[in-house]
Amino acid sequence: MSHFHRTAAFHTLGCKLNFAETSTIARQLTDAGYDKVSFDDRADIYVINTCSVTENADRECKLHVKRAMKANPEGLVVIVGCYAQLKPEEISQITGVDLVLGAKEKFNILSYLDDLEKSESEGVVHSCEIEETDFFIGSYSIGDRTRAFLKVQDGCDYKCTYCTIPLARGISRSDTIENVLKNAKEIAERDIKEIVLTGVNIGDYGKGEFGNKRHEHTFLDLISELDQVEGIERIRISSIEPNLLKDESIELVSKSKSFVPHFHIPLQSGSDELLKKMKRRYLTKLYNDRVDKIREVMPDAAIGVDVIVGFPGETEELFMETYNFLNNLPISYLHVFTYSERENTEAVGMPGVVPIPERKKRNKMLRILSEKKKMAFYQTQLGKTLPVLWEHENKDGKMYGFTENYVRVQKDFDQASVNQIEFLNLEKILSDGTVSVQSSYESFLAKA
């Protein structure tokens, strides 16, 4: 099979890390002479990057294999990613799948494509034991051309009892600082204004490759160096464990020229009893202290929280502990996850299973709380003049963007504003939950 004028299409499920990795795989194929096409177009190769965290991993995977087969029944379908690492045999039996690549093999896709033919029988599986994934592939993806996701760390050494990520991605390992800085400079040269730093456990940054557990560098070293890169307007930290978010890092962000005042800190439960069952590495007091520290040095920071409802043993009373803890915390929004059983995790065998309808009810209660928190946070920002980075998309004549502290704003679409940062006055909260803006000069006249 010659590589010339062959086409490849890509679809990503799951986290920002997966998006960064799909981009790396796509760049390898385009460098080898493939043309990239849309997933619903006729392509020679369809690559689906899967996730094991989402509720319907199996169904989603099948759905996109069907989509590919509809677009081109002759096309080769390659499945990579977390679900491919955890369930390679099951995936290989899905009709239409030709190749399944695990965590180690996915970045070596080209060498597998050469001798691959459309299979009548089940797909070919190449996946090593996850213990062997001790290398690191640096990658970044360009999200919506306004921001890029830069992967700096992979894998996790924590043993949270609900989580399959260590099984799917292996041990904690990091990119070198030199390589991260090289990637950041490449992104800056493409005139992309914002970088989102991503990893599985980003605060653990600095553990070397090949299971070298001595920290070569720390997360603080990483952000100090990145803060010096010229040409990047904004750097956002995607999600960081509360026990790894140190005062020094919070202080650096508060004084930094490019890091924005926005933190996303997984909590998972506001009940100490459940945090212990989950084997999280902190209790609510530490979490509270982190939020207080951020508020002390950055009163206007956005603080997002991950939380899981319906974990085994979560009684009504313990759920209310979480609800009240969050209600009293000065945070900006929540990402709410409904606990779902995962094979080969410790939590599966735990007593106190919460009925599914009850899990859904709790999820809804917290989603409503999240909306309330978000509106209250937006309210505190009205009347301020803040920098807004405008995105490319024109949605029914409107354009959208985010302030540094993650307030979503809108205005009438104006091509000249695309990918630009403008200082604007935040006016009022609109019915769709975004905020309207006035240019600062107009707001100055309005006051006069």
Side-chain angles (χ1 to χ4, degrees), residues 309 336 359-369:
V309 296
V336 188
R359 295 182 206 184
K360 288 188 171 148
K361 186 187 113 193
R362 291 174 190 179
N363 182 307
K364 191 174 176 193
M365 279 176 72
L366 287 183
R367 283 210 314 272
I368 293 169
L369 179 63

Side-chain angles (χ1 to χ4, degrees), residues 211-259:
N212 168 10
K213 288 303 172 202
R214 198 165 54 85
H215 273 259
E216 300 292 315
H217 293 285
T218 63
F219 180 69
L220 183 64
D221 297 339
L222 172 75
I223 62 177
S224 315
E225 295 270 343
L226 275 171
D227 203 27
Q228 306 308 313
V229 175
E230 288 302 315
I232 294 163
E233 301 274 346
R234 295 179 167 186
I235 307 175
R236 221 175 267 285
I237 299 165
S238 64
S239 175
I240 183 163
E241 291 285 308
N243 49 307
L244 295 172
L245 178 58
K246 303 282 191 269
D247 282 357
E248 297 77 28
S249 299
I250 294 173
E251 272 154 21
L252 186 137
V253 170
S254 75
K255 300 186 180 79
S256 147
K257 62 180 200 315
S258 47
F259 279 88

Side-chain angles (χ1 to χ4, degrees), residues 261-273:
H262 176 197
F263 293 88
H264 193 93
I265 317 168
L267 168 69
Q268 312 309 19
S269 173
S271 146
D272 285 345
E273 187 181 322

Side-chain angles (χ1 to χ4, degrees), residues 347-418:
V348 165
M350 289 182 179
V353 174
V354 178
I356 306 264
E358 186 56 39
R359 295 182 206 184
K360 288 188 171 148
K361 186 187 113 193
R362 291 174 190 179
N363 182 307
K364 191 174 176 193
M365 279 176 72
L366 287 183
R367 283 210 314 272
I368 293 169
L369 179 63
S370 179
E371 273 308 299
K372 191 177 104 176
K373 286 284 182 188
K374 191 165 105 182
M375 290 305 121
F377 173 63
Y378 280 14
Q379 203 69 47
T380 64
Q381 301 305 299
L382 299 181
K384 297 189 165 154
T385 296
L386 299 173
V388 172
L389 171 55
W390 292 108
E391 290 161 6
H392 291 70
E393 213 181 344
N394 179 345
K395 283 192 188 153
D396 304 323
K398 297 284 179 202
M399 69 191 310
Y400 295 86
F402 281 101
T403 61
E404 290 186 339
N405 60 347
Y406 217 55
V407 175
R408 193 155 188 256
V409 299
Q410 70 158 45
K411 67 169 184 173
D412 291 336
F413 188 83
D414 171 7
Q415 192 55 49
S417 294
V418 164

Side-chain angles (χ1 to χ4, degrees), residues 145-181:
R145 294 176 294 169
T146 308
R147 59 180 66 78
F149 301 109
L150 172 56
K151 171 182 164 186
V152 300
Q153 185 273 343
D154 197 350
C156 188
D157 294 338
Y158 287 8
K159 298 279 185 286
C160 301
T161 54
Y162 49 80
C163 188
T164 54
I165 288 174
L167 301 170
R169 285 188 170 269
I171 58 173
S172 175
R173 55 210 186 271
S174 308
D175 206 348
T176 60
I177 281 201
E178 298 74 58
N179 206 26
V180 172
L181 294 173

